[in-house]
Amino acid sequence: AQSVTQLGSHVSVSEGALVLLRCNYSSSVPPYLFWYVQYPNQGLQLLLKYTSAATLVKGINGFEAEFKKSETSFHLTKPSAHMSDAAEYFCAVSENTGNQFYFGTGTSLTVIP
Amino acid sequence: EPEVTQTPSHQVTQMGQEVILRCVPISNHLYFYWYRQILGQKVEFLVSFYNNEISEKSEIFDDQFSVERPDGSNFTLKIRSTKLEDSAMYFCASGGQGGPYEQYFGPGTRLTVT
């Protein structure tokens, strides 16, 4: 069975500081991994995805994530936080094309001016 | 840029009533999904639909729920007799063409059952 754990339901960073949002997964097969962002009263927007190509994945808005098989992790980072990055971030895993996504519980990012 | 759309944005209904949530997936996508997010909780999978039939469903998706793709463009979720615990944000998603792995999500329909 697949599952996703996001450590830290709330993360606060200062504007310009490093953003690190953690995601660990469990999967019986090599997974596909995703990060989505949800702004207030909006849907889920894809930030980036890992689909068994390069382990360091670059996404939109300056975010990137690194797939580490040995640690079963897919942490999301951004070198310098902007106020506009304040949102809810969800990590998700899927085993195959067309299969359901399993989501983590989400991390709410606050950016302090 | 193509996007998934959902209507209505907010639906209020009384317990025991039937509701239909509507979605227009991105055209030429092959896979369609419904998820829900109860306030303050994580996004949960309900059902996936491919080739005009349900391909996967969760234990949440019981006999009270049904999905349909009536006309080749819309994708609907019907809840036959709503319960208080059905109150949630319902997201439609589509995928499988052009970008076969990711799922594109709509803005959601907030369902409130009173």
Side-chain angles (χ1 to χ4, degrees), chain A residues 64-85:
Chain A
E64 62 182 38
E66 186 172 8
F67 172 67
K68 291 187 177 180
K69 185 178 178 181
S70 60
E71 299 177 8
T72 61
S73 69
F74 190 57
H75 301 331
L76 181 71
T77 60
K78 182 174 179 178
S80 176
H82 292 166
M83 296 299 295
S84 60
D85 294 328

Side-chain angles (χ1 to χ4, degrees), chain B residues 5-72:
Chain B
T5 59
Q6 290 184 243
T7 54
S9 57
H10 191 191
Q11 172 97 45
V12 181
T13 189
Q14 289 189 326
M15 199 167 49
Q17 295 297 303
E18 173 184 287
V19 294
I20 297 176
L21 309 182
R22 303 180 192 279
C23 167
V24 179
I26 294 172
S27 63
N28 80 0
H29 276 187
L30 302 175
Y31 296 88
F32 312 104
Y33 311 83
W34 283 101
Y35 291 81
R36 79 173 185 190
Q37 184 182 28
I38 294 172
L39 189 64
Q41 299 185 24
K42 66 177 167 184
V43 178
E44 301 174 289
F45 169 78
L46 293 177
V47 65
S48 60
F49 193 84
Y50 171 72
N51 202 24
N52 287 319
E53 60 184 21
I54 291 173
S55 52
E56 199 174 5
K57 62 182 181 179
S58 72
E59 58 190 25
I60 303 169
F61 194 86
D62 61 22
D63 291 344
Q64 293 298 313
F65 291 88
S66 62
V67 289
E68 201 176 37
R69 190 159 159 76
D71 55 13

Side-chain angles (χ1 to χ4, degrees), chain A residues 38-112:
Chain A
Q38 184 180 32
Y39 297 101
N41 301 314
Q42 294 188 29
L44 299 165
Q45 181 183 4
L46 179 69
L47 271 179
L48 50 78
K49 64 183 181 185
Y50 167 77
T51 57
S52 74
T55 56
L56 182 62
V57 180
K58 294 189 186 300
I60 63 171
N61 301 338
F63 284 93
E64 62 182 38
E66 186 172 8
F67 172 67
K68 291 187 177 180
K69 185 178 178 181
S70 60
E71 299 177 8
T72 61
S73 69
F74 190 57
H75 301 331
L76 181 71
T77 60
K78 182 174 179 178
S80 176
H82 292 166
M83 296 299 295
S84 60
D85 294 328
E88 188 87 15
Y89 291 80
F90 292 94
C91 181
V93 63
S94 172
E95 282 188 347
N96 208 342
T97 297
N99 281 17
Q100 62 169 291
F101 279 16
Y102 294 87
F103 283 86
T105 50
T107 297
S108 177
L109 176 66
T110 300
V111 182
I112 303 165

Side-chain angles (χ1 to χ4, degrees), chain A residues 4-34:
Chain A
V4 175
T5 302
Q6 290 183 241
L7 287 176
S9 58
H10 293 89
V11 170
S12 292
V13 299
S14 297
E15 192 175 13
L18 171 72
V19 176
L20 170 60
L21 305 182
R22 300 178 186 275
C23 173
N24 289 86
Y25 69 91
S26 68
S27 176
S28 56
V29 299
Y32 301 127
L33 293 157
F34 307 83

Side-chain angles (χ1 to χ4, degrees), chain B residues 76-96:
Chain B
T76 62
L77 174 70
K78 182 193 289 187
I79 309 175
R80 226 177 308 277
S81 178
T82 50
K83 307 184 194 69
L84 294 175
E85 54 264 38
D86 293 327
S87 295
M89 181 74 90
Y90 288 80
F91 292 107
C92 173
S94 70

